[in-house]
Amino acid sequence: MDWLNYHHLQSFWVVAREGSVRGASEILHVSPSSVSTQIRQLEQAFGVSLVKKQGRGLVLTETGAQVAEYASEIFSTGRELMELIKGKPIGKPLELRVGIRDMMPKLVAFQLLQPALMLEEPIRLVCTEAEMPRLVADLAIHKLDVILTDTALDPVYKVKAFSHRLGESDVVIMGTKALAQKYSRNFPASLDGAPFLLPTDESVLRHAMDQWFRELHLTPVIKGEFADSAMLKIAGRNGLGLFAIPVQIQEDVSDIYGLHTVGLANGVKEQFYAVSVERKLKHPAVIAICENPLQNCL
């Protein structure tokens, strides 16, 4: 009996999705030559060509397209099997592997996870924080069950995944007691020339705040830009400047960091999404997250 090498099949499947050996090698964390070797060995086992060069990339042959469809079903079924087995042993928690976009406010992310943690079935939570490209790569090869992010999945990622909208929140400006007292008067005009802390350009909130400032003809003094939302709040707690957060976590930020509200950034919204490889969700914890979005979101 001929046996199918599933390791070689997975390499081919990722190449089929990415359209290049290099792209697949980055996702699989192996060298391009290793990926090419595995595809050649798979073609030899099948006795047919699966890919062919086209320009700088690769395209599937007719047989390759059929194999890619079967591979997608095989690995989807394999994932379902792993989830079934992980959920079977008595007393052992079901694992939930979550990727959190680095720009995502961690207090919001934790609120989004609460429905999963409140399930009767025990959950073992494994969280990874990274930039979106790395998270999408891990989601594509089933290292993650779901990604929590502040934006729907960009079509630039050639991955079959689905964005489940979890809600949106108004945005409020906060700062230390001294800054709040100074800039809450005549708000928002008072923000012209005010010290401000902002997320870096990759953040959706950054673009929304920049647009809000332009519409109101405000020019705050940017005292710092942060990729890490927690670091931004620490800088704010130390009086470096004002900053914007979702209303959803306003109370928590006030309690944890001792900060005060300056005013509402009227018209600015921040949205939140769960991204999964399944349109019809199967993991009970991911279902709980998507069926119980943020409370009090507008």
Side-chain angles (χ1 to χ4, degrees):
M1 178 184 290
D2 293 330
W3 292 96
L4 176 60
N5 188 312
Y6 289 96
H7 186 66
H8 295 168
L9 183 65
Q10 184 189 42
S11 294
F12 163 73
W13 179 51
V14 177
V15 168
R17 283 203 329 265
E18 295 300 307
S20 72
V21 168
R22 181 168 296 278
S25 70
E26 291 174 356
I27 288 176
L28 295 169
H29 307 297
V30 297
S31 68
S33 61
S34 176
V35 174
S36 297
T37 297
Q38 290 169 22
I39 292 177
R40 283 197 300 271
Q41 291 173 343
L42 184 64
E43 288 178 324
Q44 290 170 2
F46 285 153
V48 295
S49 295
L50 301 176
V51 296
K52 59 183 179 181
K53 289 186 177 180
Q54 182 172 299
R56 295 184 177 179
L58 296 174
V59 295
L60 302 179
T61 63
E62 183 177 348
T63 302
Q66 293 175 330
V67 172
E69 288 184 15
Y70 275 98
S72 182
E73 293 179 11
I74 287 170
F75 291 118
S76 177
T77 302
R79 176 181 171 141
E80 291 175 15
L81 174 61
M82 290 297 295
E83 291 173 353
L84 173 67
I85 297 302
K86 284 188 295 183
K88 277 288 184 183
I90 297 175
K92 295 193 72 174
L94 176 64
E95 190 173 84
L96 174 62
R97 299 161 298 170
V98 182
I100 302 173
R101 191 186 182 208
D102 53 354
M103 296 290 178
M104 183 89 165
K106 303 311 175 289
L107 289 171
V108 173
F110 188 75
Q111 288 187 21
L112 292 171
L113 291 171
Q114 286 287 358
L117 301 177
M118 294 173 65
L119 291 173
E120 290 185 10
E121 184 176 6
I123 298 294
R124 179 174 181 266
L125 185 62
V126 180
C127 288
T128 300
E129 179 187 353
E131 295 180 353
M132 201 63 179
R134 176 60 183 271
L135 295 179
V136 172
D138 285 347
L139 182 72
I141 58 174
H142 306 304
K143 285 187 177 180
L144 295 174
D145 297 306
V146 68
I147 297 172
L148 298 181
T149 176
D150 58 351
T151 181
L153 187 66
D154 194 309
V156 71
Y157 299 108
K158 298 178 181 179
V159 172
K160 186 179 180 181
F162 304 94
S163 299
H164 309 272
R165 189 172 179 274
L166 301 178
E168 65 179 24
S169 177
D170 287 327
V171 170
V172 67
I173 310 299
M174 299 194 75
T176 60
K177 183 178 181 179
L179 289 177
Q181 289 177 341
K182 179 177 181 179
Y183 292 104
S184 59
R185 294 190 292 271
N186 196 32
F187 179 88
S190 59
L191 298 184
D192 194 38
F196 222 92
L197 310 174
L198 288 169
T200 54
D201 286 338
E202 293 81 7
S203 167
V204 176
L205 179 59
R206 171 61 182 271
H207 294 292
M209 290 303 299
D210 285 344
Q211 178 66 25
W212 188 68
F213 289 141
R214 285 193 295 269
E215 290 175 353
L216 295 179
H217 306 290
L218 301 174
T219 308
V221 177
I222 309 304
K223 303 291 287 187
E225 300 180 54
F226 300 85
D228 185 353
S229 61
M231 189 66 185
L232 186 151
K233 294 178 182 67
I234 292 171
R237 181 182 65 187
N238 284 275
L240 188 60
L242 305 172
F243 61 93
I245 60 166
V247 168
Q248 190 68 24
I249 59 172
Q250 179 180 2
E251 185 175 339
D252 286 338
V253 170
S254 179
D255 292 342
I256 296 171
Y257 296 96
L259 296 167
H260 298 260
T261 300
V262 179
L264 186 71
N266 193 29
V268 179
K269 305 280 187 182
E270 188 159 21
Q271 299 186 356
F272 307 106
Y273 295 85
V275 179
S276 73
V277 292
E278 301 160 335
R279 184 189 297 275
K280 186 176 181 181
L281 301 173
K282 298 182 179 68
H283 195 299
V286 178
I287 292 173
I289 291 170
C290 294
E291 290 185 347
N292 297 275
L294 282 176
Q295 300 297 314
N296 302 321
C297 283
L298 300 180

